[in-house]
Amino acid sequence: MPESSNVVLITGASSGMGAATAVRLARDGARVMLAARRRERLEQVAEQVRRAGGQARVCVTDVAVLADVQNLVHQTLEAFGRLDVVFNNAGLMRVAPIEKLSHQDIEQMIRVNFLGAAWVLKETVPILKQQNSGLIINVSSVLGGRKTRATAWIYAGTKWAVTAMNEGLREELVGTRVRVCALQPGVVDTELFETFEVHPRQYANISTPIQPGEVAELIAFIVRQPWHFNINEVMFRPTEQTI
């Protein structure tokens, strides 16, 4: 039998960790709002969620557009009547020497990774506070949440900001039953690296990167914890990863 019927909002849900988490939580009976820019991919994930035993709705969303985020939250409440878990997962990564990094690359990373994440929090935190229950999982990174490297420092800056937001929000929500967690992944085998000339698993000499489904199992564990047990940060890497 499903463990719960949590309402889960997932950004960046069309692939990778977002899609895998949606399907995994569906096995526990979750009702999932899937948000990303690619409708066709979202519909495919929605069908996988339904086959896994959950319910799914799709909302085409660019988190860099405030009106899209506001519509996403409205559609979630209209469809399901409440909100239990926010997986603040949308992100993009551009890594290059500064001369090769375009102004658009810089702006997009800031708008999606930082501003988009902040807008999702701005629109969802008041709902969770009013309910006096809920879980927020923000995706930071080892590269940014803990480390930085040449050619990756703008991306790292946006992810460092997510870690800072997570900790400040955790403190602000003390006294409520709303939990806040930051994930800080190392190399996970997702589309995030498709634009790279050399995949990180190659230059880091990683033969076995973490798979999205493995991250989804971790998230399912975090979701299952009781309200008084707040897992604030989780940093994880492939065993072979050096940085």
Side-chain angles (χ1 to χ4, degrees), residues 60 199 229 239:
V60 176
H199 193 287
F229 187 176
T239 303

Side-chain angles (χ1 to χ4, degrees), residues 92-127:
L92 58 87
M93 187 178 190
R94 301 284 186 268
V95 172
I98 194 64
E99 295 86 356
K100 295 184 178 180
L101 203 62
S102 72
H103 293 88
Q104 185 180 25
D105 288 335
I106 295 170
E107 182 178 5
Q108 284 182 331
M109 280 191 285
I110 292 171
R111 289 186 64 83
V112 173
N113 297 353
F114 174 60
L115 189 57
W119 277 339
V120 169
L121 295 173
K122 167 65 175 172
E123 299 303 317
T124 59
V125 169
I127 296 166

Side-chain angles (χ1 to χ4, degrees), residues 14 35-40 42 59-63 92 108 112:
S14 61
R37 291 178 297 175
R38 297 175 291 181
R39 178 177 292 278
E40 183 177 353
L42 287 174
C59 185
V60 176
T61 305
D62 182 347
V63 297
L92 58 87
Q108 284 182 331
V112 173

Side-chain angles (χ1 to χ4, degrees), residues 37-219:
R37 291 178 297 175
R38 297 175 291 181
R39 178 177 292 278
E40 183 177 353
R41 292 291 295 273
L42 287 174
E43 295 290 358
Q44 292 170 357
V45 176
E47 183 55 33
Q48 294 171 10
V49 166
R50 296 178 188 118
R51 290 200 301 267
Q55 299 178 39
R57 298 290 181 90
V58 163
C59 185
V60 176
T61 305
D62 182 347
V63 297
V65 178
L66 176 57
D68 277 17
V69 175
Q70 292 173 326
N71 178 62
L72 168 63
V73 176
H74 172 76
Q75 293 294 330
T76 303
L77 294 179
E78 189 173 71
F80 300 118
R82 62 176 293 111
L83 180 58
D84 299 296
V85 179
V86 177
F87 186 25
N88 203 3
N89 170 66
L92 58 87
M93 187 178 190
R94 301 284 186 268
V95 172
I98 194 64
E99 295 86 356
K100 295 184 178 180
L101 203 62
S102 72
H103 293 88
Q104 185 180 25
D105 288 335
I106 295 170
E107 182 178 5
Q108 284 182 331
M109 280 191 285
I110 292 171
R111 289 186 64 83
V112 173
N113 297 353
F114 174 60
L115 189 57
W119 277 339
V120 169
L121 295 173
K122 167 65 175 172
E123 299 303 317
T124 59
V125 169
I127 296 166
L128 302 181
K129 286 180 70 176
Q130 186 175 19
Q131 293 175 174
N132 199 32
S133 66
L135 168 64
I136 300 162
I137 300 175
N138 295 307
V139 178
S140 179
S141 176
V142 168
L143 188 59
R146 299 282 181 157
K147 305 275 187 179
T148 191
R149 283 293 184 272
T151 74
W153 48 272
I154 292 177
Y155 170 79
T158 65
K159 290 301 186 178
W160 225 304
V162 172
T163 298
M165 286 195 298
N166 190 82
E167 177 57 16
L169 182 58
R170 181 204 63 78
E171 185 174 333
E172 183 173 327
L173 292 173
V174 168
T176 74
R177 293 190 174 195
V178 181
R179 296 179 290 148
V180 182
C181 178
L183 295 186
Q184 297 175 340
V187 177
V188 180
D189 204 6
T190 73
E191 291 182 357
L192 190 68
F193 303 113
E194 284 189 352
T195 60
F196 284 32
E197 292 182 12
V198 179
H199 193 287
R201 66 184 177 190
Q202 293 176 273
Y203 68 66
N205 195 29
I206 296 170
S207 62
T208 310
I210 293 169
Q211 295 302 308
E214 295 170 323
V215 180
E217 289 292 343
L218 171 62
I219 291 171

